[in-house]
Amino acid sequence: MIEQLGNGLLLGLIVAIASVSLSLLYGVTRIVNFAHGEIIALGAVLTLFFSSSPESSFLYLDRFSPLGSSFIVSSIASILLCGLFGALLELCLFRPLRKNNYGNVAVLVITIGLSIFLRHIFLLFASAKPASYALDLQKREDYFGIQLTPRNVQVLIIGSVVMILVGLFLTYTKTGRAMRAVRDSSELASVSGINSDYIITLTWIFSSMLAGFTGIIQGVINNVRWNMGFLILLLIFAGSILGGIGTSFGAMFGGFIIGMLVQLSVGLSFMDGHTEAKNAIALALMILILLIRPQGIFGSKERIS
Amino acid sequence: MTSNKLLSVSSLKKSFGGLQAVNVDSLEFSENEITSLIGPNGAGKTTFFDLLTKFQNPDQGNIFFEGENVTSFQSYKLARLGMTRTFQLTRVFEKMSVLENMQFSGSSVKNESISRSLIKGKSLNNFEKELEIEVDKILELLNLSHMKYSYARELSGGQKKLLELGRALIRKPKLLLLDEPLAGVNPKLAEEILDIIKNLSIEGINIIMVEHNINAVMKISERVVVMAEGKIIADGEPEAIRNNENVIEAYLGKVNE
Amino acid sequence: MKDYKRYIIAVSLLTVSFLYIFTSNETGVARIFVNLLTFAGIYGLAAIGINVHFGWTGLLNFGHAAFMGIGAYTTILLIPHALGREGVVIETGLPLPLAVIIGMLAAALLGLILGLPTLRLRGDYLAIVTIAAAEIFRLLIRDFEDITGGVYGVIQFSEALQSLRPNFITNLATSIEVSSSQLWVGVITWILIIFTLLFLNRLQKSPWGRALRAVREDEDAVRALGKNAVWLKLQSFMLGASIGGLSGILLAFNYGTLQVSTFVPVLTFYLWAALILGGVGSLAGPALGAVIFWVIISGTDSLAEIFFENANGQQLAGVRFVFVGLLIMFTMIFTPSGILGKKEELLLDIK
Ligand SMILES: Nc1ncnc2c1ncn2[C@@H]1O[C@H](COP(=O)(O)OP(=O)(O)OP(=O)(O)O)[C@@H](O)[C@H]1O
Ligand SMILES: [Mg+2]
C-alpha cells in the first residue's frame, strides 16, 4: 500500500483541483457540466499539440509551435486557450440557453451532448493510443519513504501552490468574493449590485483554466488520452459529492480523498488481480455517501433536495 | 407531552444561518375553528406551515396531531393523516388538465398502485367515475366547471388559487392549512372564497389560514394568532387582537389609525 | 403542431430513410434492412425504458447500459453457455423464458439499489450515480473473469433462442437471403416492442401514469397531497430499468456473443439521441427515433469516407459520435419535443 502513496498524492491533487473547478462552476451557474472532463482533456491535448516532438504519433495534425516547443510556454498557452474556450461556451451556448429559460435538465442533457461531441473530436484528431509529452524520463527516488520522480515532486508543489492561490483568490479578491456571492444566492447577488452575467463569464473562464491546468499535470504524471476526461469526470463527481457539492473547500478535500483512495486501493489484498476495479471503489463510495450523508462532509442540507 | 387537541406544537424552532425564522414555545389548535395566522412579511408564517407539514425539518421541538407525536413523520404521511396544505406561491400541475389535477389529488394510493393500474378492473373504473362526479361538484362550487378540460397553466392566477383549494378539498381533509388563499384575488372572488372557507368550517373541516387581508381575517376567524420575528406575540379573539398594543405596533399599525 | 402532422412528418421521414437505404446499396439490401431494423428495434426498446424514466417521470438516467448489461449477463449466464478464455462449457441452465424474467428482475433490482439513495435528492444526483454505475458495472464485468468471461465474453448461448425459431422464419430468411437468426431476433424484438407499448399505453392512462406525470411536474405538490413521490419514482425507475434489461438480452442474442464492450457507457448516449429525436414523453417516439437514428448513423459512415480516405474503425466511430453529440445538442436546443413529442409536455422547464 505504501508504494502507492506517491501515486495517491498525485491523483488526489489532480482530482482535488478538478473538483474545485467543477464545483465552483456548478455553484455559480447551477450547471452540472458533463463536458468538464473534456475541458480537462483539452488542456492536455493542446499542450501536446504545441509541444510534442515531431516524431510523436499521437496527433494526426502536424505539430503547431509558433512559440517554440518549450513545455512551459505550451502549457501556459493551452491554459489560456482553455479559458477562452470556456468564455466561448458561455457566450455562444450557455448564456443564450439561460436567457431563453432552458431548465436545468435540458441544459444538463446539452452538456452531455457537448461532452460526446468534444471527446470524439479528440479521437478524430488524435490517436486512440495514449501519448506522453516530450519530457525526459526520470527515475523514482525516495522522498521521506514516498516513491516519486523529481518531476512528480515539482508537480505536487506547483499543484499545491495553485490550490492555495485559488483559495486566496476566492477568499480575498473582489472577483472571488463576487463569485461566492453569486454561488450562494444569485438573487441576493443581483440585489447587491453584482453583475451576475459578468461573474458567470469570469467563472467559466476561471474554471476552464483550472480544468486545463489539471489536464496538463495529469498528462505529465500519466499520459494524454482522448478519453481521459470521462474517467476523471466520474472521480471528480465522486470527490465533489463526498466533500459537498457547491462547496470549494469540501470539493478540494473530497477530491483529494477520492484520488488517494483510488490509488491506495490498488494495494489492498482483496484487490489482487482486480486493478481495473480501483475506480469502481471510488464510485461505490460515492453511492454510499449519498445513502448516508447526501450533503457530503461539508455541504449543507438545503442544497441537495 | 400529549394532548387531545387537534394540533399542537411545543418549543418548535427553525433558524436559517443566524436568523431565527420560527421560535414557537407552545401553540394549540382545537377542533371546529377557523384560526388565522397573521404577521408582517418575513414573520415566519410560511416557514411555520412548512414545519407543521414537514416540508422543512424543525431544528428542535415536537408536533402533535390528534394526540400523536408526528414530528418524525414525512410530509406525505402527514397529508394522509388528514392535514392538507396549500402553497403561498400556487403549485398546480400546469401540464395536466384541471380535471386531472383534481383526479390525481382525489384518487386513493391503493388505486395508484402499478399492479391495480395494469389490471384496471371494473372497480377501478367505477372508482374513477365516482371520483369524476366528486370533481364536478367541487369545480361547480369553485366556478371552474367551464375550465375542466383546460390545461391548468391556462388558468388565471386567481383560478389557480381556486384549483389548489379544490385539490385540497377533494381529499376531505381534517385540517386545512391555507397560505394566503386571497392573495392576488379580486374582491368579488375573495368574498366567494371566504364564503367557501366559512362553509367548509361549518361542515367540520378545521382551518388554519395565513392571510394579509386584515378585514377578511377579522370577519371570518374565530381566533387570530399573531406572529412577528418567529414568535407568537398575541393570540386571541379577533376583537382582542385588533386592540392589542403589541399587534398594532408590530403589524396592524396604520390600519387602525 | 397537430398530432396528425407529426405522424405525417414521421412517416415521410421513415420513407425517405428507407429509400435512402435502398438507393445507396446495390447488393444485400434485404440484409442491411433486417440488420438495421433489428438494431433499431433493440435500441428503440431500450430507449422506451429511458422514456419511462425521463419522459414520464423526469428522471435522468445516463447509465442505461448497466441495466441492459445486467439483464443480459444474468439471463445468459443462467442458460447453457460457454465462458471466457478457456471456453468452459456449461450445459445445464434454466429455461429461457424464466431466465429472461430473472434477468429483467435483476435489472429492476439494480434500479432499486441505485434509486434508493438518489431519488430523494435533486435530479442531477441520479444522473451522476447512474453514469457512475454504468462504469462500475463495466469494470466489474471485466475484472471478474471467472464468472463473466471478462473481456473474452460469453459464447454459445444463442441456441436457447434459435431452437425456438419457427420454420417459416427460416424459410423466409433463406428466400430473401438474410441471416435467419438475426431475422428471428428482429421479429421477436418488434413483437416485444408492440407488447411493451400496449402495456405502457395502459399504464400511462391509468391513475399510476397520472401520478407519475404529477411527480414529474412538482414533487412537493405531490407530497402535499399525501402521495409518496419517492416511491412513485422508484417504481418508474425499476420499470424502465427492467425494460432496459430486456433490450440488453435481445442485444446479446443479436450479436450472438456477450461482450462487455457492448455495454459501454456510450451505448446510453445512442439511446438518448434516439429518444430525444423521436420525442421525449411520446409513446412510440423512441422506437421511431431509433429507426431514423440508425439510418442517420449509417449515413455518417459515408460522411467519414469524405473526410478520411479509407476511414478506419476509430475514425468511423469518431465521426459517428461527433454526430451523436451534435444531434443530442441540437435537438435539445431547437426541437426539444422531437418528432412525436407533444409541445405542451415539453421538458424544458423541469428543475
Ligand atoms: N430557505 C430559506 N433560507 C433562508 N432564509 C429563509 C428561507 N425561508 C425563509 N427564510 C427567511 O425566514 C424568514 C421567514 O420567512 P417566511 O417565508 O416564513 O415569512 P412569512 O411570514 O411567510 O412572510 P410573507 O408574509 O412575506 O409570506 C424570512 O426572513 C425569510 O427571509
Ligand atoms: Mg409566507
Side-chain angles (χ1 to χ4, degrees):
Chain A
M1 203 171 193
I2 194 78
E3 60 268 27
Q4 291 296 334
L5 202 56
N7 291 337
L9 284 175
L10 288 164
L11 189 62
L13 182 76
I14 291 176
V15 180
I17 301 178
S19 299
V20 173
S21 64
L22 181 89
S23 222
L24 186 67
L25 186 72
Y26 172 79
V28 172
T29 64
R30 295 284 128 180
I31 293 172
V32 181
N33 184 15
F34 276 80
H36 201 69
E38 274 54 52
I39 304 180
I40 293 177
L42 181 68
V45 171
L46 279 179
T47 306
L48 195 70
F49 179 48
F50 291 139
S51 74
S52 67
S53 57
E55 60 272 19
S56 155
S57 63
F58 180 68
L59 292 168
Y60 290 124
L61 301 176
D62 287 336
R63 183 169 68 100
F64 178 75
S65 50
L67 311 164
S69 55
S70 148
F71 178 73
I72 301 289
V73 176
S74 308
S75 306
I76 293 172
S78 308
I79 292 174
L80 292 177
L81 282 176
C82 282
L84 180 68
F85 186 70
L88 286 178
L89 281 183
E90 154 67 8
L91 294 179
C92 305
L93 183 61
F94 292 104
R95 182 175 297 178
L97 292 177
R98 195 164 62 242
K99 299 293 177 218
N100 286 299
N101 289 324
Y102 277 62
N104 292 352
V105 168
V107 174
L108 194 155
V109 174
I110 291 168
T111 68
I112 293 250
L114 181 66
S115 87
I116 301 169
F117 169 74
L118 291 174
R119 199 183 315 152
H120 291 88
I121 291 280
F122 299 147
L123 178 63
L124 283 182
F125 290 104
S127 148
K129 290 193 209 80
S132 305
Y133 297 124
L135 301 167
D136 52 321
L137 284 173
Q138 292 181 331
K139 265 227 273 315
R140 294 202 166 213
E141 290 163 24
D142 190 298
Y143 295 87
F144 309 109
I146 303 170
Q147 306 294 318
L148 292 164
T149 67
R151 189 173 299 114
N152 288 344
V153 176
Q154 288 166 358
V155 164
L156 275 179
I157 292 170
I158 296 175
S160 313
V161 168
V162 166
M163 213 142 71
I164 292 168
L165 287 180
V166 169
L168 293 177
F169 170 78
L170 288 177
T171 331
Y172 293 112
T173 65
K174 213 172 141 202
T175 319
R177 283 207 213 122
M179 282 178 186
R180 279 168 48 226
V182 176
R183 177 186 74 194
D184 294 336
S185 157
S186 56
E187 289 115 78
L188 208 74
S190 69
V191 170
S192 53
I194 295 172
N195 177 348
S196 47
D197 269 353
Y198 174 68
I199 292 299
I200 288 176
T201 313
L202 281 187
T203 307
W204 268 103
I205 296 175
F206 183 69
S207 153
S208 304
M209 284 169 61
L210 264 187
F213 172 74
T214 335
I216 296 170
I217 57 176
Q218 211 204 351
V220 171
I221 55 184
N222 291 323
N223 47 37
V224 182
R225 293 174 197 233
W226 66 282
N227 61 354
M228 63 195 283
F230 179 68
L231 246 184
I232 197 159
L233 181 75
L234 295 180
L235 297 184
I236 302 171
F237 279 145
S240 312
I241 285 177
L242 178 67
I245 274 196
T247 64
S248 308
F249 179 66
M252 215 178 265
F253 178 82
F256 187 73
I257 297 286
I258 288 288
M260 286 285 268
L261 186 88
V262 165
Q263 291 298 354
L264 292 187
S265 64
V266 176
L268 297 175
S269 56
F270 71 88
M271 294 286 293
D272 262 0
H274 296 300
T275 45
E276 289 273 348
K278 66 180 181 184
N279 291 310
I281 287 204
L283 300 176
L285 177 75
M286 167 177 88
I287 296 179
L288 194 71
I289 287 283
L290 286 178
L291 197 59
I292 53 183
R293 193 179 157 84
Q295 69 269 38
I297 298 175
F298 298 102
S300 68
K301 249 189 172 156
E302 272 66 34
R303 284 217 176 92
I304 53 172
S305 50
Chain B
M1 186 192 88
T2 51
S3 160
N4 45 16
K5 296 280 182 171
L6 179 69
L7 178 71
S8 63
V9 304
S10 64
S11 54
L12 200 62
K13 288 198 178 129
K14 176 80 184 176
S15 57
F16 299 108
L19 179 91
Q20 188 80 47
V22 171
N23 182 0
V24 174
D25 262 348
S26 119
L27 194 62
E28 297 186 335
F29 299 94
S30 27
E31 308 246 359
N32 297 320
E33 256 188 1
I34 299 182
T35 307
S36 287
L37 185 59
I38 63 172
N41 291 119
K45 306 178 296 291
T46 299
T47 309
F48 184 58
F49 265 23
D50 281 353
L51 296 180
L52 288 181
T53 51
K54 288 308 292 290
F55 275 78
Q56 296 190 45
N57 289 318
D59 299 336
Q60 66 169 77
N62 284 304
I63 305 164
F64 298 86
F65 185 65
E66 297 190 307
E68 186 180 5
N69 188 338
V70 296
T71 320
S72 62
F73 282 37
Q74 283 181 294
S75 50
Y76 75 91
K77 285 248 170 71
L78 280 175
R80 279 184 199 173
L81 288 181
M83 216 160 124
T84 300
R85 73 171 295 182
T86 65
F87 294 90
Q88 179 168 1
L89 300 171
T90 337
R91 299 184 97 145
V92 296
F93 303 113
E94 309 240 336
K95 291 170 193 166
M96 291 164 58
S97 69
V98 169
L99 172 64
E100 283 177 318
N101 264 272
M102 296 291 290
Q103 281 175 324
F104 167 65
S105 177
S107 81
S108 70
V109 173
K110 186 172 134 218
N111 286 322
E112 266 164 10
S113 80
I114 191 165
S115 51
R116 221 174 134 86
S117 285
L118 204 56
I119 301 159
K120 217 183 193 177
K122 236 194 189 131
S123 66
L124 182 56
N125 281 334
N126 285 343
F127 182 86
E128 289 275 300
K129 266 186 211 129
E130 280 168 33
L131 187 60
E132 195 169 338
I133 296 171
E134 193 77 12
V135 170
D136 286 338
K137 265 194 232 156
I138 293 178
L139 291 183
E140 186 73 49
L141 177 76
L142 299 173
N143 266 326
L144 282 176
S145 300
H146 59 295
M147 303 297 281
K148 184 174 166 187
Y149 298 106
S150 312
Y151 278 104
R153 66 150 176 273
E154 294 165 18
L155 301 183
S156 75
Q159 287 172 325
K160 282 182 190 165
K161 282 257 163 208
L162 286 174
L163 176 56
E164 217 191 359
L165 181 62
R167 221 173 48 180
L169 288 185
I170 200 166
R171 297 186 48 76
K172 305 197 179 67
K174 281 184 203 139
L175 173 62
L176 195 53
L177 297 146
L178 302 170
D179 199 345
E180 306 201 10
L182 306 183
V185 167
N186 73 51
K188 184 165 162 287
L189 189 54
E191 280 302 315
E192 286 171 22
I193 294 183
L194 280 181
D195 283 343
I196 292 169
I197 293 176
K198 191 95 206 165
N199 282 332
L200 291 175
S201 173
I202 293 168
E203 283 166 27
I205 295 178
N206 305 285
I207 289 162
I208 307 176
M209 171 172 101
V210 170
E211 186 48 61
H212 284 300
N213 179 338
I214 206 70
N215 293 327
V217 166
M218 292 302 168
K219 188 170 129 197
I220 188 174
S221 323
E222 276 119 334
R223 175 182 170 202
V224 177
V225 177
V226 190
M227 226 177 159
E229 291 170 11
K231 293 203 178 71
I232 307 295
I233 58 163
D235 182 351
E237 296 190 351
E239 268 319 299
I241 294 297
R242 197 189 281 278
N243 302 319
N244 184 311
E245 302 246 328
N246 288 340
V247 179
I248 294 171
E249 191 188 326
Y251 183 50
L252 296 177
K254 294 177 196 107
V255 178
N256 257 33
E257 273 166 20
Chain C
M1 212 176 334
K2 288 267 159 38
D3 271 1
Y4 72 89
K5 275 200 191 155
R6 295 189 164 278
Y7 283 101
I8 292 177
I9 293 177
V11 170
S12 24
L13 271 176
L14 276 182
T15 320
V16 172
S17 307
F18 289 150
L19 281 177
Y20 168 80
I21 297 173
F22 280 111
T23 50
S24 60
N25 299 285
E26 288 115 46
T27 53
V29 171
R31 198 177 44 76
I32 292 171
F33 200 68
V34 168
N35 185 45
L36 186 141
L37 276 187
T38 307
F39 270 110
I42 294 170
Y43 279 45
L45 187 60
I48 288 171
I50 301 185
N51 196 27
V52 171
H53 294 157
F54 184 54
W56 288 22
T57 333
L59 304 176
L60 288 161
N61 165 17
F62 290 113
H64 214 47
F67 297 126
M68 298 172 72
I70 203 146
Y73 272 94
T74 309
T75 300
I76 304 293
L77 293 179
L78 285 174
I79 59 176
H81 62 271
L83 198 61
R85 187 165 20 189
E86 270 101 46
V88 186
V89 181
I90 291 145
E91 275 171 10
T92 53
L94 298 179
L96 183 62
L98 185 60
V100 168
I101 289 171
I102 296 178
M104 291 173 69
L105 287 178
L109 185 68
L110 180 64
L112 182 73
I113 293 170
L114 298 182
L116 266 182
T118 45
L119 289 175
R120 297 170 294 148
L121 309 176
R122 219 183 31 222
D124 345 333
Y125 283 90
L126 185 66
I128 295 171
V129 163
T130 46
I131 212 170
E135 187 63 11
I136 295 180
F137 173 80
R138 191 181 68 88
L139 294 173
L140 292 184
I141 294 283
R142 275 175 69 117
D143 238 29
F144 290 84
E145 192 182 316
D146 30 346
I147 311 170
T148 63
V151 288
Y152 301 94
V154 188
I155 49 173
Q156 291 172 22
F157 55 82
S158 289
E159 203 39 38
L161 183 70
Q162 297 301 341
S163 62
L164 305 173
R165 184 175 65 223
N167 275 334
F168 75 92
I169 296 279
T170 317
N171 297 339
L172 180 65
T174 328
S175 68
I176 58 174
E177 293 177 11
V178 301
S179 145
S180 57
S181 45
Q182 186 168 48
L183 183 65
W184 179 221
V185 174
V187 168
I188 293 179
T189 302
W190 282 96
I191 291 174
L192 285 174
I193 286 182
I194 291 169
F195 271 109
T196 310
L197 288 182
L198 289 174
F199 168 90
L200 290 180
N201 182 40
R202 204 178 166 88
L203 276 181
Q204 194 176 30
K205 294 194 174 124
S206 74
W208 187 75
R210 191 171 58 208
L212 285 195
R213 271 181 294 143
V215 168
R216 186 182 71 179
E217 266 202 62
D218 189 340
E219 281 177 42
D220 279 343
V222 166
R223 277 189 202 106
L225 299 173
K227 313 294 171 76
N228 186 346
V230 173
W231 174 229
L232 284 164
K233 288 198 281 186
L234 205 50
Q235 286 176 315
S236 152
F237 199 56
M238 289 163 71
L239 174 65
S242 63
I243 295 175
L246 180 62
S247 70
I249 300 166
L250 289 166
L251 195 56
F253 277 110
N254 190 30
Y255 281 122
T257 68
L258 186 53
Q259 300 287 344
V260 63
S261 58
T262 305
F263 300 101
V264 286
V266 281
L267 169 63
T268 309
F269 303 136
Y270 267 158
L271 306 174
W272 270 87
L275 169 65
I276 297 173
L277 194 62
V280 174
S282 85
L283 215 48
L288 173 77
V291 175
I292 294 174
F293 176 77
W294 268 96
V295 177
I296 295 177
I297 285 300
S298 44
T300 61
D301 287 358
S302 14
L303 206 67
E305 300 289 347
I306 299 173
F307 288 121
F308 306 93
E309 21 188 324
N310 296 323
N312 58 25
Q314 178 196 335
Q315 288 162 335
L316 285 180
V319 173
R320 241 176 216 206
F321 276 105
V322 163
F323 211 80
V324 170
L326 287 177
L327 197 66
I328 291 180
M329 280 167 72
F330 282 113
T331 328
M332 208 59 201
I333 294 173
F334 296 112
T335 51
S337 53
I339 302 169
L340 285 185
K342 276 196 205 145
K343 209 162 196 157
E344 290 76 27
E345 297 196 355
L346 216 66
L347 287 154
L348 276 189
D349 50 352
I350 275 198
K351 282 164 216 90

